[in-house]
Amino acid sequence: MRRLATWALLFVGSFLVVAALVARLWGLPNAEKTPLDTDSDTRLSGEASGLVVLGGSDTPEPVKVQNITKADSERSDDDVIVFVAYTCVAVDEDLPADDYCLEGDDERIVTISEPDVFATDRHTAEAVENGDYVPAGTDQKVGLVNKWPFNVEQKDYEVWDSVLGATVTATFEGREKIEGLDTYKFEYTVTDQPAEIASGVQGSYSTAKVYWIDPTTGAIIKQTQDEQRTTEDGTVALDLNVGYTDETVQANVDAAESNGRTLALLGTWVPLVGGILGVVALLVGALLLIGGGGRRRADSA
């Protein structure tokens, strides 16, 4: 019985030590990658006015925004993920609950973007060279595009602005609790910059964006956006002020907490607990093995 217990301890100890190493050296690095099945539907609400709102409304109208971002798993690989994203903005007048991307010449349409294809590193979240990942002729992105990296640092980051077609610096502004989740707050401002404010239309662009980021996963938990686009003669084409809906924020918090627990399990608890218990089991098993060997020699003498 003693011999059986000794070998059981050695086996269990070895298993726990190996499990701890696998979790830390293989499990965690693979978990700290943007999933290839990413399919997000982010909702924002707020107000908008300007030439593109109900034929040119000077009075702010309630609007809803839908950001659709899907991973293209066939073009992605172990290190790079390819996304297809588009945004729809519509005046909030009897909108369908599931889809704000209206069709045809519906007067409620504010803007509907063309599908945007881009490739990013699955860990750092930074845009990578287009190469064969995206169709030929696709604009090359730079910096962070749709999320922050895993293990966000308290520093400034370069973020891609699709209207400018360039990066801007998002500055770290501190920590803030969102629905109980600790987040890092970043923001950037663009003031009266020349830009293509609509397809083939040049003008001036200003925006102030604020992001609340989950520092563990790099996911955007909450975002607000105050944006103005004016034509070259100074006419307001779009004045937009929106932010994530409460439902979207809560869903993001829930997902971040769940993913954070998984990463903590692989990066901390399994290696720590498994490693300690494994080493203890190996030591006890080794002592029993040595003690058993010594006893057998004494008996034979």
Side-chain angles (χ1 to χ4, degrees), residues 34 121-126 144-153 155-160 168-172 184-188 209-223:
T34 305
D121 185 284
R122 293 179 63 191
H123 180 76
T124 68
E126 292 188 350
L144 305 178
V145 184
N146 64 332
K147 71 180 293 289
W148 262 245
F150 287 87
N151 305 311
V152 181
E153 298 181 50
K155 67 175 188 178
D156 299 346
Y157 285 89
E158 294 301 305
V159 179
W160 179 259
V168 292
T169 302
T171 59
F172 174 71
Y184 289 177
K185 183 179 179 181
F186 296 87
E187 61 182 57
Y188 77 77
K209 288 188 178 182
V210 184
Y211 301 89
W212 288 263
I213 306 297
D214 172 35
T216 301
T217 65
I220 301 173
I221 303 300
K222 180 179 176 181
Q223 177 183 324

Side-chain angles (χ1 to χ4, degrees), residues 34-38 69-77 79-85 116-122 128-130 132-135 138 146:
T34 305
L36 294 178
D37 61 352
T38 297
T69 305
K70 295 183 179 181
D72 185 339
S73 58
E74 293 186 1
R75 289 182 176 270
S76 305
D77 58 32
D79 298 314
V80 175
I81 184 168
V82 178
F83 288 106
V84 179
D116 188 21
V117 185
F118 55 94
T120 66
D121 185 284
R122 293 179 63 191
V128 301
E129 290 293 329
N130 284 348
D132 295 328
Y133 288 112
V134 302
T138 301
N146 64 332

Side-chain angles (χ1 to χ4, degrees), residues 6 15 30 41 44 54 66 69 98 109 123 132 145-146 148-149 152 162 166 169 172 180 225-226 284 296:
T6 299
F15 174 81
N30 279 277
D41 183 347
L44 302 87
L54 295 179
Q66 183 174 19
T69 305
D98 60 339
I109 296 173
H123 180 76
D132 295 328
V145 184
N146 64 332
W148 262 245
V152 181
S162 59
T169 302
F172 174 71
Q225 178 177 343
D226 186 4
V284 173
R296 285 193 298 272

